[in-house]
Amino acid sequence: MRLKNAIKLIFANFGVTFKVLLYKLIIFAVLVAVGILVLLPNFRSLIEASSLDKLVVTLGDLLKAIFVPDMVFAEEQAAFASYLTEFTEYLRGNVGKIAGLGGAIAAFYFVGMFFNNIADFAVGQVVNDYMSSLTETGFTVGIFKNLGRASLYSLIDVGVSLIFMLAAVSVCLFIIWVNPVGIVTMFFAILVFVVLISLKQVFMSDFMPNILADRKAPGKAFRESVKVPRKDFIRKFNNYISINIIMLYVNVTAGFFTVMLGLLLTFPMTTLILVCFRFVSQYTTSGKKYYLAPEEIVRPRQMAEEEEEDILKKIDEE
């Protein structure tokens, strides 16, 4: 029911999709421009010395061999394994240089994540205003309306994301290191990544709604968000796993069959469905009614029972 209601909310707030896309494209363009000036010379030398470019090409050929009968999968697998060995040996011999470059890339990534979270917070403002009072708030207004709280929210979320991202990447690299080739390895690596990201989303699910819907300070909102009851944890985890797998499939399919053009729609849609689900989930667990449409109001079971009791009391009194 929560996921179903979140999907309904997407259509009610669909207008924000392309505004989110424009915002994220601008942030991405700025980061890429700065990255080209700062990181490209070092990154180019790493690519040439480590055979990373050949590794990426052979990985693409390996994936293509799954679907193209004329390609011999075993040959592409052997080529990929060979370049993976070269790349691994280069990493072992240049740990310090790569660590420094990796730290710079991580800094760029988390700066991007910080501004990305600002956009997510603005989408949350739009969704919350609609759910609570059918108010149509503009995306730009949502950015500047709570910029201070949005910044604190973003910093905390980036810190938590760093922990889960490092764990996910480390486990995935370990799986690939144990068995560097094969579809089964890729399956388990992606599965572990999705599970760990879903766990992070469960613990952070109510963080933004606690700030916007309940007007709590970011610190208190975060502490209450990570205290997830067991029954609610299982329900949220199942929903986030479903959302992440579905959106992974949609994004990969859209990118592959539309030559990346479809990602202009599916990426901001991914943001919107995740934000909508967070608010639907928080409203439901905290027992608040909310709008899905002007003529459709969702009342949690507890609230509906209390309203029925009040009506019965009034009838008895009369």
Side-chain angles (χ1 to χ4, degrees):
M1 183 63 72
R2 297 185 188 187
L3 185 54
K4 178 182 177 181
N5 289 344
I7 293 173
K8 288 183 178 180
L9 273 175
I10 291 176
F11 297 101
N13 297 276
F14 191 78
V16 77
T17 304
F18 296 103
K19 298 175 184 177
V20 173
L21 174 63
L22 178 61
Y23 173 95
K24 294 190 176 185
L25 285 177
I26 292 173
I27 297 300
F28 178 76
V30 172
L31 288 175
V32 168
V34 176
I36 289 174
L37 294 174
V38 177
L39 299 177
L40 186 58
N42 293 323
F43 195 66
R44 184 178 297 166
S45 64
L46 184 149
I47 291 176
E48 294 174 353
S50 66
S51 301
L52 179 60
D53 53 343
K54 297 175 182 176
L55 178 65
V56 173
V57 171
T58 53
L59 175 60
D61 292 339
L62 179 64
L63 295 175
K64 193 185 299 182
I66 300 173
F67 306 100
V68 180
D70 295 336
M71 300 181 69
V72 181
F73 183 80
E75 293 180 0
E76 303 301 336
Q77 189 179 46
F80 175 73
S82 175
Y83 285 118
L84 181 62
T85 301
E86 289 185 21
F87 181 70
T88 303
E89 291 176 354
Y90 178 84
L91 293 182
R92 290 173 179 171
N94 298 270
V95 175
K97 181 179 179 180
I98 294 171
L101 183 59
I105 295 173
F108 272 82
Y109 174 77
F110 285 103
V111 168
M113 285 295 297
F114 173 83
F115 286 104
N116 180 75
N117 287 340
I118 297 293
D120 292 352
F121 200 86
V123 174
Q125 181 71 63
V126 173
V127 171
N128 179 65
D129 288 348
Y130 184 88
M131 290 176 66
S132 61
S133 60
L134 288 179
T135 302
E136 296 185 359
T137 302
F139 176 73
T140 306
V141 174
I143 290 177
F144 293 102
K145 186 176 181 179
N146 297 292
L147 190 56
R149 290 191 297 168
S151 298
L152 288 174
Y153 159 82
S154 185
L155 287 173
I156 295 173
D157 188 83
V158 166
V160 176
S161 296
L162 174 61
I163 296 171
F164 279 89
M165 188 66 70
L166 288 175
V169 171
S170 299
V171 175
C172 290
L173 289 177
F174 176 76
I175 293 173
I176 295 172
W177 178 75
V178 171
N179 185 14
V181 292
I183 301 302
V184 175
T185 302
M186 294 170 59
F187 168 80
F188 279 108
I190 294 173
L191 177 63
V192 168
F193 187 84
V194 170
V195 168
L196 289 175
I197 294 302
S198 299
L199 282 174
K200 177 257 179 181
Q201 290 169 331
V202 169
F203 289 112
M204 301 295 285
S205 183
D206 291 347
F207 185 23
M208 184 196 301
N210 285 346
I211 298 173
L212 289 172
D214 293 347
R215 299 189 178 279
K216 295 176 181 177
K220 183 177 181 181
F222 172 71
R223 290 192 298 271
E224 293 186 1
S225 176
V226 297
K227 298 176 182 178
V228 185
R230 181 180 299 178
K231 291 184 179 179
D232 200 39
F233 175 90
I234 295 173
R235 186 180 294 111
K236 286 180 178 178
F237 182 71
N238 290 337
N239 279 294
Y240 277 118
I241 283 283
S242 301
I243 291 172
N244 288 325
I245 292 176
I246 291 170
M247 294 315 297
L248 177 63
Y249 171 78
V250 169
N251 283 309
V252 171
T253 303
F256 183 79
F257 288 104
T258 65
V259 197
M260 310 302 285
L261 183 63
L263 297 178
L264 296 177
L265 177 62
T266 59
F267 266 1
M269 284 286 289
T270 301
T271 296
L272 188 55
I273 190 173
L274 286 170
V275 171
C276 286
F277 179 78
R278 294 177 76 167
F279 278 88
V280 168
S281 181
Q282 198 266 1
Y283 268 66
T284 302
T285 55
S286 58
K288 297 192 290 284
K289 65 179 181 180
Y290 57 92
Y291 290 94
L292 290 178
E295 67 283 354
E296 186 175 2
I297 303 175
V298 177
R299 290 179 173 85
R301 182 180 302 175
Q302 181 181 356
M303 176 176 286
E305 292 175 354
E306 290 176 354
E307 289 179 353
E308 289 179 2
E309 290 178 0
D310 292 337
I311 293 173
L312 292 174
K313 286 181 181 179
K314 290 180 180 178
I315 294 174
D316 291 339
E317 290 175 356
E318 293 176 356

